[in-house]
Amino acid sequence: MTSLGIISNPYAKLNKRKPGYNTRLCYTLDNKGEYHITRNLEDLDDVCQEFAEKSIKIIGIVGGDGSLGLSLTKIYTAYTLANKPLPKIIPLRGGTMNFLASNLGLFKDPHEILEDLLSSLKNRHPLFEQPIQTLMVEDRIGFVFACGLATEFLSSFYQNKSNSFGAGLALTKFVLNKITSLYLPLWNKKINCEISCQFTISNKAVINQENFIKLTSNKGYSLIMASTVPKLPLNLHLFKNVKMGAPEAELIAINGGLPAFLATFSKILTANKLRKISNPLTHNINSAEIIFSKDNYPYSLDGDIIQNNQKIKISLGPTFIFCSPYNIPRN
């Protein structure tokens, strides 16, 4: 059987609700692979180094989207240092949103996904595969970067964390609170910054020429996001111009404060191509740098909120092959 390793984050939502869940998953795996529970970043480093030394070819990750990104960061470092090809990855879910697993069509309980994966491997059924380009934000791998209203919402949501349905209710409540508090400076705060983007153009005259553009707004921005996957939590198909596996990311920046955000959000969700809309600004990029004019704003990467310095560097990270025992939906 193909070598298989499982990394489990004990702080995943499912493990908080069901303390014996890791034991159940471990028994399911039995002697068909290795199961490790990581309690801190040092544990995660050690496990990834061990998997790289043993040339583990498929790694399942139990945990939320933030745990997945952290694990991929450590996996990439360990396998690169060991000069080994990157393993295939299967997200087994375990967080609140699990948006990357949802992009891959993985909706079942982690225990069921693992059982179906083991069955496919035992019966030598080919796994479905999907390469996905990652983002590298500073030194951490992820898929969705956000700054502005999205980060404010996450901070509010984490105070009373629940499931995806609860997230939908929380989002509705958050927007209503913003509308009713529209004229309070705290709720209408905008991001003052300069965004430098690098992207590739390709046509008959110019092939793969690197271009640069600087985005500035005297109104500031209510939201800045970048992603290498099309769908966000709550099944929001926000990124229209990026395809899974394409070697680029899509950046969206909405000019102005909350009124501009509310006025354009419906356009974002309904437009076939965002390039037809002047607000928000949208570009498919290879890298970006955000330099704040005054305050430093926290940002989120796959749901984890991170305090930043005056400058944030975003670039394309490694491409991982994600696998599944189920058919993977296309964009």
Side-chain angles (χ1 to χ4, degrees):
M1 179 176 290
T2 302
S3 59
L4 173 65
I6 306 295
I7 298 173
S8 179
N9 169 17
Y11 305 108
K13 185 176 177 62
L14 66 87
N15 294 323
K16 289 180 180 178
R17 295 197 312 264
K18 304 174 182 178
Y21 213 96
N22 275 314
T23 302
R24 185 183 178 191
L25 284 168
C26 190
Y27 275 120
T28 299
L29 185 62
D30 194 22
N31 62 349
K32 305 175 186 71
E34 298 190 24
Y35 196 95
H36 291 271
I37 301 172
T38 58
R39 292 179 171 80
N40 50 52
L41 291 179
E42 289 183 1
D43 284 353
L44 185 57
D45 273 326
D46 292 341
V47 170
C48 292
Q49 289 172 19
E50 180 183 336
F51 281 0
E53 290 169 2
K54 294 179 177 179
S55 297
I56 297 293
K57 294 181 174 58
I58 298 177
I59 297 179
I61 299 173
V62 181
D65 297 301
S67 298
L68 176 64
L70 274 174
S71 297
L72 293 180
T73 304
K74 301 296 186 180
I75 289 168
Y76 177 70
T77 300
Y79 276 70
T80 300
L81 289 174
N83 197 26
K84 300 288 181 67
L86 292 176
K88 296 175 183 177
I89 306 294
I90 178 167
L92 295 174
R93 302 179 68 88
T96 302
M97 299 290 190
N98 305 293
F99 76 87
L100 189 68
S102 298
N103 270 277
L104 294 165
L106 293 162
F107 296 105
K108 291 186 177 182
D109 179 275
H111 183 264
E112 294 177 278
I113 297 174
L114 181 57
E115 282 186 332
D116 292 338
L117 173 67
L118 292 172
S119 176
S120 293
L121 294 175
K122 179 181 178 180
N123 295 306
R124 299 183 181 276
H125 293 159
L127 296 176
F128 296 92
E129 297 182 356
Q130 173 63 61
I132 301 183
Q133 175 71 59
T134 66
L135 286 177
M136 184 74 77
V137 181
E138 298 299 331
D139 57 354
R140 179 168 163 176
I141 289 172
F143 300 91
V144 179
F145 163 89
C147 186
L149 283 174
T151 309
E152 287 187 45
F153 162 69
L154 287 171
S155 298
S156 174
F157 171 64
Y158 289 152
Q159 294 176 9
N160 187 23
K161 206 171 182 180
S162 60
N163 56 20
S164 295
F165 177 74
L169 293 177
L171 179 59
T172 302
K173 181 180 178 182
F174 177 78
V175 172
L176 290 175
N177 284 342
K178 289 289 187 181
I179 292 172
T180 56
S181 306
L182 184 62
Y183 298 104
L184 294 178
L186 177 64
W187 294 127
N188 201 24
K189 185 166 63 175
K190 293 167 286 190
I191 305 169
N192 297 308
C193 64
E194 180 181 87
I195 308 172
S196 300
C197 301
Q198 179 183 5
F199 59 96
T200 301
I201 60 173
S202 179
N203 54 40
K204 293 181 180 180
V206 182
I207 304 295
N208 293 331
Q209 176 181 330
E210 302 293 340
N211 267 21
F212 295 86
I213 187 171
K214 284 191 176 182
L215 308 179
T216 56
S217 171
N218 54 15
K219 300 178 182 178
Y221 297 100
S222 56
L223 180 70
I224 302 170
M225 296 188 74
S227 177
T228 57
V229 293
K231 292 183 181 179
L232 296 180
L234 307 178
N235 205 35
L236 293 176
H237 196 162
L238 184 66
F239 295 92
K240 311 287 187 178
N241 302 318
V242 68
K243 295 184 181 297
M244 287 202 299
E248 60 184 355
E250 182 175 359
L251 182 139
I252 294 174
I254 299 181
N255 295 317
L258 181 63
F261 173 81
L262 296 174
T264 58
F265 195 68
S266 61
K267 295 180 182 178
I268 295 174
L269 296 179
T270 58
N272 290 327
K273 291 291 183 180
L274 287 179
R275 289 190 180 93
K276 297 178 181 178
I277 303 175
S278 58
N279 184 19
L281 297 171
T282 177
H283 290 276
N284 282 32
I285 63 167
N286 296 337
S287 64
E289 185 176 76
I290 303 173
I291 301 177
F292 299 97
S293 302
K294 297 179 180 178
D295 299 327
N296 299 337
Y297 296 87
Y299 66 88
S300 69
L301 185 61
D302 300 339
D304 280 0
I305 298 176
I306 302 167
Q307 299 297 322
N308 69 284
N309 298 317
Q310 190 179 6
K311 184 187 299 183
I312 303 174
K313 292 184 178 180
I314 304 170
S315 60
L316 297 182
T319 297
F320 279 89
I321 303 295
F322 286 82
C323 62
S324 170
Y326 321 116
N327 187 36
I328 297 176
R330 300 305 171 189
N331 290 13

